[in-house]
Amino acid sequence: MIVIKVYGAEKKCPSCVNLPSSRETAEWLEAAIQRKYPEDTPEVEHIDIEDRSSGEDPVAEKVRQEEYFYPLVTVNGTVVAEGNPRLKVIYKEIDKTKEYRSDTTAK
């Protein structure tokens, strides 16, 4: 299963004034990904960095410590976007992950 995580907070970062919130980004990504991969849709999760229950997540902690801008998007743990995510880049990582999975299953 491919898992896409969108990290961010309810309030927008100062440099993201005209961009959607991280939750809106997660909803947008989920809809776009469902259209592109209807038969094997990756799971999309929104991680609220201000919710301290995400404290166990090292990526959430890095976003809290401002090592990354948010919204931050990962595909199976690989960072693919910071700030304003690009679908093309995310699709490329999903396809790469799908190819790797099918290669390892075929062996």
Side-chain angles (χ1 to χ4, degrees), residues 34-53:
Q34 284 177 347
R35 283 191 302 274
K36 173 98 170 145
Y37 305 99
E39 70 292 333
D40 187 19
T41 303
E43 179 182 330
V44 178
E45 295 178 30
H46 176 261
I47 309 295
D48 185 346
I49 62 167
E50 293 176 342
D51 179 0
R52 289 302 170 174
S53 65

Side-chain angles (χ1 to χ4, degrees), residues 2-89:
I2 296 175
V3 178
I4 297 167
K5 293 184 180 181
V6 180
Y7 294 85
E10 288 304 316
K11 73 173 187 185
K12 295 180 183 182
C13 68
S15 62
C16 305
V17 174
N18 294 320
L19 299 175
S21 71
S22 59
R23 185 169 305 280
E24 292 167 330
T25 299
E27 292 168 357
W28 166 73
L29 271 176
E30 186 170 31
I33 289 167
Q34 284 177 347
R35 283 191 302 274
K36 173 98 170 145
Y37 305 99
E39 70 292 333
D40 187 19
T41 303
E43 179 182 330
V44 178
E45 295 178 30
H46 176 261
I47 309 295
D48 185 346
I49 62 167
E50 293 176 342
D51 179 0
R52 289 302 170 174
S53 65
S54 68
E56 299 295 318
D57 188 319
V59 176
E61 184 57 31
K62 286 181 179 183
V63 176
R64 277 193 288 275
Q65 297 300 321
E66 298 181 358
E67 289 182 44
Y68 291 115
F69 293 111
Y70 62 88
L72 176 84
V73 180
T74 65
V75 175
N76 282 2
T78 301
V79 174
V80 293
E82 276 185 90
N84 189 12
R86 303 281 183 232
L87 276 176
K88 193 175 194 177
V89 175

